[in-house]
Amino acid sequence: MKNLAVCFIALILMFSCKNENTEKTEKTENTKESKENEVVEDKKNEDYFTLTLDAIVKNNDEFSLFYLEGEQNSITKENSLTVNVAGNNLEQSIVIQLQEDVLPTRLIFKYGKNLTSQSIQIKGARLDYNGDEIVISDQNFFQFFIPNSNIVYNRETYIASSKEVNGKHEPVFYSRKILEDKLDYTFY
């Protein structure tokens, strides 16, 4: 009887250890699969030019990125992308990702579509493509983007306030030559 009890306990321990090893093997295989999927997704996203603007936008708004490619001279609706932004008193990242394999040579960034007055506080920006990145701090934003006459930009607080000029309200930032050269140097 004593031998039967010892054999029974040994069998239980043997099977419980085997199940534990099987579970660990399954978890390891699932982790490997998910990491492989992440790598594939990351690789896919590298083929897309992405502008990420970190800012405080207090009112709901639409942000549009217009861009020129190669030898283009004029902006077209096809060369633009618009995202809706929910107003928030906290910093948020506004991500605009272009179509695959589109690499702009010039950027035009517009906000304040439905508002007669909108202020945003720029916290920084990132431009990503093919694993390379250009990081623009809040202090350097004005160095890389120039506002049009519908924007009053405070270079100490990094607040861009839109205003109406001659009955028009179209606040726009244009990429400066230094950014266009940096795009060329970094991504081409």
Side-chain angles (χ1 to χ4, degrees), residues 32-109:
K32 284 180 184 176
E33 271 183 36
S34 66
K35 284 184 179 180
E36 286 173 6
N37 289 339
E38 286 176 18
V39 169
V40 169
E41 286 179 25
D42 288 345
K43 182 71 175 157
K44 277 184 177 177
N45 286 339
E46 287 181 358
D47 294 339
Y48 296 86
F49 178 88
T50 305
L51 166 70
T52 304
L53 179 71
D54 298 320
I56 297 174
V57 181
K58 293 184 180 181
N59 299 310
N60 294 346
D61 203 350
E62 253 184 34
F63 284 63
S64 298
L65 178 65
F66 298 88
Y67 58 92
L68 299 177
E69 292 181 275
E71 300 300 317
Q72 285 181 319
N73 294 330
S74 58
I75 299 170
T76 63
K77 183 86 172 150
E78 291 78 36
N79 285 19
S80 68
L81 194 64
T82 299
V83 296
N84 291 315
V85 177
N88 195 326
N89 289 331
L90 301 174
E91 180 178 334
Q92 55 186 308
S93 292
I94 301 155
V95 179
I96 301 175
Q97 189 174 62
L98 302 183
Q99 300 156 347
E100 188 173 11
D101 295 326
V102 170
L103 186 53
T105 55
R106 185 155 195 227
L107 303 172
I108 300 96
F109 180 70

Side-chain angles (χ1 to χ4, degrees), residues 75-151:
I75 299 170
T76 63
K77 183 86 172 150
E78 291 78 36
N79 285 19
S80 68
L81 194 64
T82 299
V83 296
N84 291 315
V85 177
N88 195 326
N89 289 331
L90 301 174
E91 180 178 334
Q92 55 186 308
S93 292
I94 301 155
V95 179
I96 301 175
Q97 189 174 62
L98 302 183
Q99 300 156 347
E100 188 173 11
D101 295 326
V102 170
L103 186 53
T105 55
R106 185 155 195 227
L107 303 172
I108 300 96
F109 180 70
K110 184 177 180 184
Y111 74 98
K113 179 176 180 175
N114 298 320
L115 304 168
T116 55
S117 178
Q118 168 76 300
S119 292
I120 61 173
Q121 184 174 13
I122 308 293
K123 295 293 192 171
R126 286 180 313 285
L127 305 156
D128 299 286
Y129 182 73
N130 219 12
D132 293 314
E133 179 179 64
I134 298 171
V135 177
I136 302 171
S137 67
D138 53 0
Q139 296 95 350
N140 293 333
F141 187 81
F142 189 77
Q143 177 184 352
F144 292 103
F145 289 94
I146 186 167
N148 70 354
S149 61
N150 290 103
I151 297 176

